[in-house]
Amino acid sequence: MWAMIGTWRMALEAIDQVVKSDECKKDAGSAIVKAIKQIEDFEYFKSVGYGGLPNEDMDVELDAGYMNGDTLAFGAIMAVRDIKNPIEVAYALSKEYTSCLLASAGASRFARNHGFQQKDMLSPRAKLHYLKRMKEERQVELKPYIGHDTVGICALDEKGSLCAGTSTSGLFMKKAGRVGDSPILGSGYYADSDYGCCSATGLGEDLMKGCISFQVVELLKQGIPVQEACSQALQALHDRLLRKQGKVGDLSIVALDKNGNFGVATNIDNFSFVYASKTQAPTVYLVKKQNGKMELEVASQQWLNDYLTTRMAAIEL
Ligand code: SD4
């Protein structure tokens, strides 16, 4: 068996590519890196790589993380500027035993020293988004903007290896130096080939309060089926946050068990994800909440097209 699951509809083309190239069968880790790299390079996705939205100073600061579930090795970078493909750097850092989580200038230096490509990551389009927001209300609550797009991918290959990776520009207009869940092991991603893997998207500050990805893998370890593990972990965190702080941010997760079955959970109404496996072509699902229960619906071609049209529409200042 092999399988891949990725957050949001935007993972479709990238997962499709690695499925076509058979990468996902052979090596879960390199399938994740290739897929995420493709998403980082596509400038119309607003939360990942080139085209990612800037912080309050109009600087694009990127976070990425990667974990190998066979060895529990992980690598991550945070608040890094001017690196074209953060996921590649996170992957390279997972080969290190120490200093595998690097921040800002140190992360950039590691990337430069290891020959990773540098690039000015503020795209003209992201700049327009920034200028538009500056014209609008300035004091809006910082939260994942409508249609946020952090990518998190989990994969299982035919050798039985499970890996997880993430890449994001984080929250639009975040404070300089702000870091979310995406590079934080156990929050944005976690993988253990004995049990399963999980990745998260949403409001990093709230996701981190539950170490949500680690929590899901712990539930899998207890023998709880993957869908139940996701629903249980997410609902528990949602309820706990509501009780303790009176509000809850967007929380969404995707997971695989060691047999390639998927689980997903969200507390928002517009979450979408992509799943592919040995027995299923890459499929985009929309998660609909009905009377407190989650229902999955396969996205129509019209919906898929509209998503891209919206992402690529001209920005009026
Ligand atoms: C963060 N979790 O930096 C990320 C944001 C996100 O889709 O997921 N956006 O908090």
Side-chain angles (χ1 to χ4, degrees):
M1 180 63 169
W2 59 264
M4 281 188 102
I5 190 164
T7 54
W8 307 107
R9 176 257 175 267
M10 63 168 179
L12 177 63
E13 286 78 9
I15 288 186
D16 208 34
Q17 277 296 318
V18 291
V19 166
K20 283 195 179 112
S21 70
D22 270 359
E23 199 71 42
C24 44
K25 287 186 198 168
K26 288 185 260 170
D27 192 274
S30 61
I32 286 177
V33 174
K34 274 200 181 145
I36 293 184
K37 196 172 166 212
Q38 185 173 326
I39 296 167
E40 287 174 340
D41 288 341
F42 188 63
E43 72 164 290
Y44 291 97
F45 296 139
K46 294 182 289 186
S47 304
V48 184
Y50 186 64
L53 296 184
N55 65 14
E56 62 180 4
D57 300 336
M58 211 170 77
D59 292 317
V60 180
E61 291 192 331
L62 302 165
D63 302 331
Y66 170 82
M67 186 173 195
N68 175 334
D70 289 346
T71 58
L72 304 187
F74 80 102
I77 54 173
M78 49 198 204
V80 77
R81 297 183 189 176
D82 299 335
I83 296 300
K84 181 172 169 285
N85 293 111
I87 190 64
E88 287 190 320
V89 185
Y91 182 76
L93 283 165
S94 75
K95 307 286 178 196
E96 307 285 325
Y97 184 52
T98 56
S99 299
C100 40
L101 170 58
L102 295 181
S104 54
S108 294
R109 193 197 306 170
F110 174 91
R112 276 196 312 275
N113 290 347
H114 286 76
F116 290 105
Q117 209 175 321
Q118 289 180 263
K119 179 172 178 164
D120 174 0
M121 296 301 275
L122 181 67
S123 71
R125 187 176 174 85
K127 191 170 171 181
L128 280 178
H129 276 295
Y130 177 88
L131 295 175
K132 186 165 182 229
R133 175 62 80 88
M134 290 301 275
K135 274 177 74 180
E136 293 162 6
E137 216 181 332
R138 286 183 187 222
Q139 288 308 320
V140 286
E141 194 186 353
L142 200 62
K143 55 185 180 190
Y145 41 87
I146 311 262
H148 56 101
D149 286 322
T150 287
V151 66
I153 297 186
C154 296
L156 166 74
D157 63 28
E158 285 189 331
K159 296 174 292 186
S161 299
L162 283 159
C163 300
T166 59
S167 183
T168 189
S169 56
L171 303 184
F172 186 21
M173 292 289 183
K174 66 189 178 182
K175 292 219 178 326
R178 179 264 181 194
V179 174
D181 58 302
S182 306
I184 304 300
L185 187 64
S187 289
Y189 62 107
Y190 198 81
D192 184 328
S193 301
D194 292 340
Y195 311 112
C197 51
C198 180
S199 185
T201 174
L203 184 66
E205 284 75 358
D206 275 355
L207 291 161
M208 286 190 275
K209 290 166 188 160
C211 301
I212 186 89
S213 294
F214 179 73
Q215 183 61 27
V216 168
V217 176
E218 280 300 293
L219 293 174
L220 293 173
K221 189 174 169 187
Q222 291 167 26
I224 295 175
V226 63
Q227 182 49 53
E228 212 179 306
C230 288
S231 303
Q232 210 175 301
L234 194 119
Q235 193 61 47
L237 178 59
H238 179 98
D239 293 348
R240 204 156 139 222
L241 292 171
L242 203 56
R243 182 162 51 84
K244 288 186 179 265
Q245 62 183 25
K247 57 181 176 181
V248 191
D250 292 5
L251 313 171
S252 302
I253 50 174
V254 294
L256 291 179
D257 68 16
K258 64 178 182 180
N259 299 314
N261 301 307
F262 74 83
V264 55
T266 185
N267 66 350
I268 62 170
D269 284 323
N270 62 345
F271 184 54
S272 59
F273 68 97
V274 184
Y275 175 74
S277 76
K278 189 173 179 174
T279 54
Q280 186 175 329
T283 307
V284 177
Y285 289 94
L286 310 178
V287 186
K288 304 267 174 205
K289 286 196 291 163
Q290 301 281 3
N291 308 322
K293 287 200 133 205
M294 274 186 354
E295 279 176 18
L296 302 186
E297 184 182 301
V298 174
S300 66
Q301 193 55 49
Q302 183 63 44
W303 187 91
L304 296 177
N305 297 346
D306 288 351
Y307 182 101
L308 273 191
T309 309
T310 319
R311 288 295 181 282
M312 297 171 78
I315 300 164
E316 307 283 340
L317 268 188

